[in-house]
């Protein structure tokens, strides 16, 4: 049993044995991250390269897409270390790198949320006010992106501060004592110092109630509720504008055809951002408040505690799934991106077909050749 499982069991007095569930979750982490790594690396590397080299209109959401791809790529590059830890149950790379990888998880999640909001709000504003789109400059997107990285980077620091409070040795000994007091047996002598732990096995500090409430409130309001409202509001505004325009399309079909198609594409983009947001980030934030209450011993209802602890690792895996889903937004919803991918694929296929190996004469051709 790991530190978090034994500690929560000791504080609550619940008789749930989480050891078997913990083993299943470690396997789930290992194979899930392993499945995400290769497609996430290929998709985000390709997306970042195409957006940087071949997209000409870098003033319309493309800058935000590039930052979103960069956030996903950085998190994807840290997955091999997570895979190594959950396969070997050891961490020989030092506490600094462990906390940095732990930090990247939340940095990616909240950076992805922020840039999904930026994409949705910008598409909405540009369609509702075409003159704003003409006046908009690439410099503004760069400034907004820099501010997002600075704010998100600073806001995610409490996640590692909460996990860097106790040493592995002292925490493991404390957890062993708690486990023995719950199970009613004498603690065995420690034969050797425990292996360094990382990620879900990191010890967690117990802050004051006021500080905990403030942290959770800020994370839930600014990291989930406000972004959700922004994305939903953008979807509703574009949908209403499109409906009004379609009602008048019979009167002026030629003038409204181009604008109608542009708004339809914008609506698909914003709705896709909403889908990724709800699928990947909503489960974590819905469970986050209850999980913190369990970790701090505030929530004492045993069935609720068990459900919260079991949902938490699943919600973290769903949050990492965005690394593979976000590049699909660029391909299916950006015509220029799709055009460059197809042109590269066709040129690669043409080069294979024109290679010397593919041009070797077939046996029947050699028999029919004149002698």
């Amino acid at each position: 049993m790991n530190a978090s499982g034994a500690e929560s069991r000791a504080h609550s007095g619940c008789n749930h044995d989480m050891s078997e569930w913990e083993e299943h979750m470690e396997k789930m982490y290992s194979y899930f991250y392993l499945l995400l790594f290769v497609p996430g690396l290929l998709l985000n590397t390709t997306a970042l390269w195409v957006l940087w080299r071949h997209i000409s209109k870098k003033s319309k959401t493309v800058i935000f897409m590039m930052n979103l791809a960069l956030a996903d790529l950085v998190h994807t590059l840290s997955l091999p270390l997570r895979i190594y830890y959950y396969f070997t149950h050891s961490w020989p790379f030092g506490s600094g790198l462990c906390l940095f990888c732990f930090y990247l998880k939340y940095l990616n999640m909240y950076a992805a949320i922020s840039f999904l909001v930026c994409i949705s709000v910008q598409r909405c504003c540009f369609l509702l006010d075409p003159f704003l789109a003409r006046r908009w400059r690439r410099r503004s997107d760069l400034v907004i992106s820099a501010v997002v990285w600075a704010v998100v980077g600073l806001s995610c620091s409490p996640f590692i501060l909460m996990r860097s409070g106790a040493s592995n040795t002292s925490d493991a000994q404390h957890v062993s004592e708690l486990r023995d007091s719950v199970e009613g047996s004498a603690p065995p002598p420690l034969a050797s110092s425990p292996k360094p732990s990382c990620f879900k096995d990191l010890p967690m500090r117990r802050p004051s109630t006021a500080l905990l409430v403030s942290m959770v409130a800020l994370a839930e309001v600014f990291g989930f509720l406000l972004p959700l409202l922004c994305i939903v509001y953008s979807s509703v505004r574009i949908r209403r504008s499109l409906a009004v325009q379609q009602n008048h399309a019979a009167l002026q079909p030629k003038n409204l055809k181009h604008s109608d198609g542009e708004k339809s594409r914008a609506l698909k983009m914003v709705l896709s951002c909403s889908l990724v947001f709800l699928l990947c980030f909503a489960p974590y934030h819905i469970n986050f408040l209850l999980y913190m209450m369990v970790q701090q011993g505030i929530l004492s209802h045993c069935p609720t505690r068990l459900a919260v602890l079991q949902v938490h690792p699943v919600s973290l895996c769903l949050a990492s799934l965005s690394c593979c889903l976000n590049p699909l937004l660029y391909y299916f919803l950006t015509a220029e991106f799709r055009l460059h991918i197809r042109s590269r694929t066709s040129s690669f296929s043409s080069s294979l077909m024109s290679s010397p190996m593919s041009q070797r004469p077939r046996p029947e051709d050699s028999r029919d050749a004149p002698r």
Side-chain angles (χ1 to χ4, degrees):
M1 184 181 298
N2 63 20
S4 59
E7 189 171 359
S8 63
R9 181 178 171 184
H11 283 297
S12 65
C14 299
N15 294 322
H16 303 307
D17 186 4
M18 299 288 293
S19 58
E20 184 176 356
W21 174 259
E22 295 281 349
E23 293 177 1
H24 289 310
M25 287 303 98
E26 288 181 356
K27 292 180 180 179
M28 182 190 71
Y29 280 133
S30 303
Y31 293 110
F32 188 81
Y33 290 144
L34 190 61
L35 290 175
L36 284 184
F37 175 67
V38 174
L41 181 63
L42 294 177
L43 289 173
N44 287 289
T45 303
T46 304
L48 199 58
W49 179 72
V50 172
L51 292 171
W52 176 257
R53 293 289 301 275
H54 299 286
I55 299 296
S56 57
K57 299 178 181 179
K58 290 189 172 64
S59 60
K60 295 185 178 180
T61 69
V62 176
I63 297 296
F64 297 142
M65 289 182 183
M66 291 173 59
N67 282 274
L68 181 58
L70 178 62
D72 290 335
L73 180 61
V74 170
H75 176 59
T76 302
L77 292 175
S78 69
L79 291 181
L81 293 177
R82 291 178 174 269
I83 296 169
Y84 176 86
Y85 177 73
Y86 288 120
F87 267 121
T88 64
H89 302 286
S90 63
W91 184 261
F93 307 109
S95 60
L97 185 57
C98 171
L99 291 175
F100 180 68
C101 292
F102 186 83
Y103 173 76
L104 287 180
K105 169 76 174 183
Y106 295 95
L107 181 69
N108 163 256
M109 178 164 60
Y110 288 106
I113 290 174
S114 301
F115 287 116
L116 287 174
V117 171
C118 290
I119 293 171
S120 302
V121 172
Q122 189 179 66
R123 293 301 295 265
C124 178
C125 292
F126 283 178
L127 286 175
L128 298 180
D129 187 1
F131 294 102
L132 176 62
R134 295 171 186 168
R135 297 193 306 266
W136 198 262
R137 295 293 178 264
R138 177 183 173 185
R139 184 188 311 166
S140 301
D141 286 345
L142 295 174
V143 171
I144 293 174
S145 300
V147 171
V148 167
W149 281 113
V151 172
V152 171
L154 184 62
S155 302
C156 290
S157 58
F159 286 101
I160 58 174
L161 295 177
M162 286 282 293
R163 294 283 187 168
S164 59
S167 64
N168 292 321
T169 304
S170 61
D171 182 74
Q173 187 173 1
H174 175 63
V175 169
S176 177
E177 293 173 356
L178 287 173
R179 185 193 303 118
D180 295 325
S181 65
V182 172
E183 297 175 355
S185 60
L190 294 176
S192 60
S193 59
K195 295 181 179 180
S197 60
C198 192
F199 303 124
K200 71 180 184 62
D201 299 321
L202 285 173
M204 180 179 289
R205 286 183 176 182
R206 294 180 59 83
S208 63
T209 303
L211 179 59
L212 180 64
V213 170
S214 301
M215 290 174 54
V216 173
L218 290 174
E220 291 291 313
V221 173
F222 292 98
F224 177 62
L225 293 179
L226 287 181
L228 178 61
L229 290 177
C230 290
I231 294 178
V232 171
Y233 177 78
S234 300
S235 304
V236 172
R237 286 299 304 271
I238 296 175
R239 183 67 186 92
R240 287 181 178 177
S241 178
L242 182 61
V244 171
Q245 190 163 308
Q246 289 174 345
N247 291 335
H248 296 284
L251 300 177
Q252 297 176 332
K254 295 182 180 180
N255 296 334
L256 295 177
K257 183 180 297 185
H258 174 72
S259 180
D260 184 75
E262 186 70 19
K263 288 188 177 181
S264 297
R265 288 190 294 271
L267 181 61
K268 290 179 182 179
M269 172 67 79
V270 177
L271 289 178
S272 299
C273 292
S274 304
L275 181 61
V276 172
F277 184 89
L278 292 175
L279 175 63
C280 297
F281 305 123
Y284 171 80
H285 286 90
I286 292 174
N287 190 66
F288 176 66
L289 174 62
L290 297 175
Y291 179 76
M292 293 301 296
M293 295 174 65
V294 169
Q295 289 296 315
Q296 303 303 319
I298 300 174
L299 187 61
S300 59
H301 187 250
C302 290
T304 305
R305 293 175 63 93
L306 178 62
V308 169
L309 291 174
Q310 291 179 342
V311 168
H312 182 70
V314 178
S315 66
L316 286 176
C317 289
L318 288 176
S320 295
L321 184 61
S322 66
C323 293
C324 292
L325 295 182
N326 289 328
L328 300 181
L329 297 180
Y330 319 143
Y331 180 80
F332 288 107
L333 300 175
T334 306
E336 194 172 355
F337 184 93
R338 188 164 57 249
L339 178 63
H340 281 292
I341 291 294
R342 288 177 177 175
S343 63
R344 287 291 173 179
T345 304
S346 61
S347 62
F348 179 72
S349 301
S350 300
S351 64
L352 287 180
M353 294 297 295
S354 61
S355 63
M357 295 294 293
S358 62
Q359 295 180 354
R360 290 186 305 177
R362 292 175 298 178
E364 57 270 19
D365 295 336
S366 62
R367 290 196 301 266
D368 296 336
R371 298 180 181 176

